[in-house]
Amino acid sequence: MSIFARAFKRESVDNYMQADSHMSRILTTRDLIGLGVGTVIGTGIFILPGHEAAQHAGPAVSIAFLIAAIYSGLSGMSFAEFSSAMPVAGSAYSYGSVIYGEIIGWLLGWSLILEYFLAVSAIATGFSAYLNNLLLTFGVHMPKSLLAGPMEGGIVNLFAVMIILLVTAILSRGLNASKKIENGAVILKVAILGLFIIGGSFFIKHTNYVPFYPKEFHTGPLGLNGIMSATASIIFAFLGFDTIAAHAAEVKNPQKTMVRGIVGTVLISALLYVLFSIVLTGIVNYKQLGVDDPAAFALQAIHQTQFAVVITVGALVGMFTAILALIYASSRLTYSFGRDGLLPRSLGKISKSSRLPVNALLVAVVIEAMFAGLIPLNTLASLINAGTLLAFTFINFGVLILRRRQDLAHDGFKVPGYPVIPFIAGIISLYLITKLPIDTLELFSIWVLIGVAWYFIYGMRHSKLS
């Protein structure tokens, strides 16, 4: 067999099902929506609406969130069909290995692992900033050396490391304990967002909506470049629904539960994001919203300082749930690599007592804590979108191949409007990739090349397929 033919050799779903059989199937639709909303309604809702309104779209940022939600919903249905046909761990990595061949699956997984690791680290860094601001409100001053890593003149971002370790301690207690804490925190977070949306609506000034889509952003085809650039950046906000697919091996009745969890997450998140953006840009003029805490800033601008503290608490809860869900997903993806031999096989072992991939969890946490504590992620965070969009592209187009595979089950959820809907979603994915900054695409290309090198030097020789 040639190297090319070996690289594109396809994995068997039956092998994955057998390898994942030791994992407990206990997650319900409510649990999946909790995980999904916990991730989607995280840092994004407390930072992105302000930044994108100020830099790209003005009050029309709500339109960008709506477009991102529709696109995410279309892509989410593709993930749902895959997870229904292949209820295994690994998300796009496992799906790509079965449909396209091992090297494509590996590169999709390689992209997702970057996405998850950086997302955890970026959100933990944001958590640290919000927590420090809250402490300052109560007169507590932390040493600057413990609020930033060496590259920013400090020693370590202590709060960022501590929140990752706290979440790890919760996850190590098992799925039952983790999902209860996640679901409870999500309910609290949504309630606080509801208070902001309802309470803030009484302070809206309609003059702040004029112009709704400012002329300075009217560039590109039909003048929509501002909205589309905002949409490409906002995809990061909808990261959570694709992490749901990483837990397919731990879900009850995945043929029905997965699609309900994914679509439910997208609908709830879309409603909250759009309403939040409308209220935010109505309270304060979009030009003033280019800050890291736009909701708290808006409330301070209308002299609701005490409520601003409540919003800050909501932001902290939101980031906590996002970190928990993403560490959960990243450990499952790392486990999948070890399960298949593309990374050391010790990462693919399941603890007999806890039924958790403990080794994979520890490795994921160590890397994420190092990134969060030592490295500023302002530039690297944009790589999250690149990895997400690449995975979406292959999964959307992959549905066209999946339907033709006679060896796979097709008795679960199916994307409506086949083949038009998944094809259009795939084209949109490619288009949004072109809207990312050039330096982001260059850095992501380097990451992909490293992944290709690892596969041919280590992965191919140690893979179970060999």
Side-chain angles (χ1 to χ4, degrees):
M1 181 183 295
S2 68
I3 292 180
F4 181 82
R6 168 61 191 83
F8 283 90
K9 186 176 180 181
R10 295 172 180 173
E11 181 57 273
S12 164
V13 175
D14 291 336
N15 289 341
Y16 283 155
M17 294 288 288
Q18 184 177 357
D20 294 342
S21 62
H22 301 294
M23 303 182 87
S24 301
R25 290 192 177 274
I26 62 173
L27 297 177
T28 64
T29 299
R30 184 179 66 179
D31 298 328
L32 289 185
I33 292 177
L35 284 167
V37 174
T39 310
V40 175
I41 307 298
T43 307
I45 201 165
F46 297 103
I47 296 178
L48 284 178
H51 276 292
E52 296 306 317
Q55 297 172 9
H56 292 121
V61 68
S62 58
I63 302 298
F65 273 108
L66 183 60
I67 295 172
I70 293 172
Y71 160 70
S72 296
L74 296 178
S75 298
M77 287 191 292
S78 295
F79 272 93
E81 178 163 343
F82 266 100
S83 58
S84 178
M86 308 180 206
V88 298
S91 186
Y93 157 65
S94 296
Y95 308 152
S97 298
V98 173
I99 294 297
Y100 296 105
E102 187 177 60
I103 188 170
I104 299 298
W106 162 252
L107 290 178
L108 292 180
W110 187 246
S111 300
L112 287 179
I113 206 70
L114 175 73
E115 168 193 324
Y116 294 163
F117 282 2
L118 290 183
V120 169
S121 304
I123 295 171
T125 302
F127 181 95
S128 176
Y130 266 84
L131 181 56
N132 183 54
N133 289 338
L134 182 63
L135 292 176
L136 289 174
T137 303
F138 295 101
V140 179
H141 297 266
M142 288 290 295
K144 291 183 178 180
S145 60
L146 298 180
L147 297 173
M151 298 175 67
E152 294 179 304
I155 298 174
V156 64
N157 194 327
L158 184 61
F159 289 151
V161 174
M162 287 177 63
I163 187 60
I164 290 176
L165 296 180
L166 173 62
V167 167
T168 304
I170 293 172
L171 287 173
S172 65
R173 295 176 59 189
L175 269 181
N176 278 318
S178 301
K179 71 178 187 178
K180 289 178 182 178
I181 293 173
E182 177 83 355
N183 291 344
V186 167
I187 292 172
L188 175 61
K189 173 174 57 177
V190 171
I192 291 174
L193 287 173
L195 285 175
F196 174 82
I197 292 168
I198 295 171
S201 63
F202 291 100
F203 296 91
I204 289 176
K205 295 181 180 178
H206 294 92
T207 54
N208 287 329
Y209 293 133
V210 182
F212 189 70
Y213 181 39
K215 287 187 177 180
E216 65 259 35
F217 303 130
H218 290 206
T219 59
L222 303 177
L224 295 176
N225 199 51
I227 288 178
M228 296 314 298
S229 294
T231 301
S233 299
I234 284 166
I235 292 301
F236 164 57
F238 287 91
L239 174 68
F241 84 83
D242 77 291
T243 65
I244 293 175
H247 312 307
E250 299 164 279
V251 172
K252 294 180 180 178
N253 191 14
Q255 284 72 21
K256 294 181 179 179
T257 304
M258 293 302 297
V259 65
R260 292 171 182 169
I262 290 173
V263 174
T265 292
V266 173
L267 290 177
I268 293 171
S269 302
L271 180 64
L272 289 173
Y273 267 118
V274 171
L275 292 178
F276 186 90
S277 301
I278 290 173
V279 172
L280 180 67
T281 53
I283 295 176
V284 177
N285 187 277
Y286 74 93
K287 294 180 181 179
Q288 300 176 267
L289 290 175
V291 295
D292 288 338
D293 53 348
F297 173 81
L299 291 171
Q300 290 169 353
I302 57 175
H303 309 294
Q304 299 294 314
T305 307
Q306 291 180 333
F307 193 31
V309 173
V310 176
I311 288 296
T312 300
V313 172
L316 290 171
V317 174
M319 291 181 224
F320 166 80
T321 61
I323 292 169
L324 192 151
L326 283 166
I327 291 179
Y328 192 38
S330 64
S331 66
R332 269 50 178 182
L333 184 56
T334 305
Y335 151 79
S336 300
F337 291 154
R339 173 195 66 190
D340 300 338
L342 297 176
L343 288 180
R345 290 185 183 275
S346 59
L347 298 176
K349 292 183 178 180
I350 301 292
S351 169
K352 292 182 179 180
S353 57
S354 65
R355 297 288 185 91
L356 297 174
V358 175
N359 293 341
L361 176 62
L362 290 176
V363 168
V365 165
V366 168
I367 295 173
E368 289 157 355
M370 287 177 59
F371 281 169
L374 304 176
I375 302 174
L377 293 172
N378 293 335
T379 301
L380 293 179
S382 59
L383 289 171
I384 296 168
N385 288 326
T388 304
L389 289 170
L390 181 68
F392 286 8
T393 300
F394 276 90
I395 293 305
N396 283 313
F397 287 134
V399 172
L400 306 179
I401 304 172
L402 175 65
R403 289 284 181 96
R404 300 178 182 177
R405 290 282 295 271
Q406 300 301 316
D407 59 322
L408 299 175
H410 298 286
D411 55 349
F413 174 77
K414 295 181 180 179
V415 178
Y418 172 89
V420 177
I421 295 298
F423 180 77
I424 290 175
I427 294 297
I428 295 173
S429 303
L430 289 174
Y431 172 72
L432 291 175
I433 288 175
T434 66
K435 305 306 294 181
L436 294 173
I438 295 297
D439 58 343
T440 295
L441 296 177
E442 291 174 348
L443 287 170
F444 183 66
S445 298
I446 293 172
W447 177 255
V448 171
L449 289 175
I450 294 172
V452 171
W454 177 270
Y455 175 77
F456 284 107
I457 293 171
Y458 180 92
M460 180 182 286
R461 292 192 298 111
H462 294 84
S463 168
K464 287 198 304 185
L465 280 178
S466 296

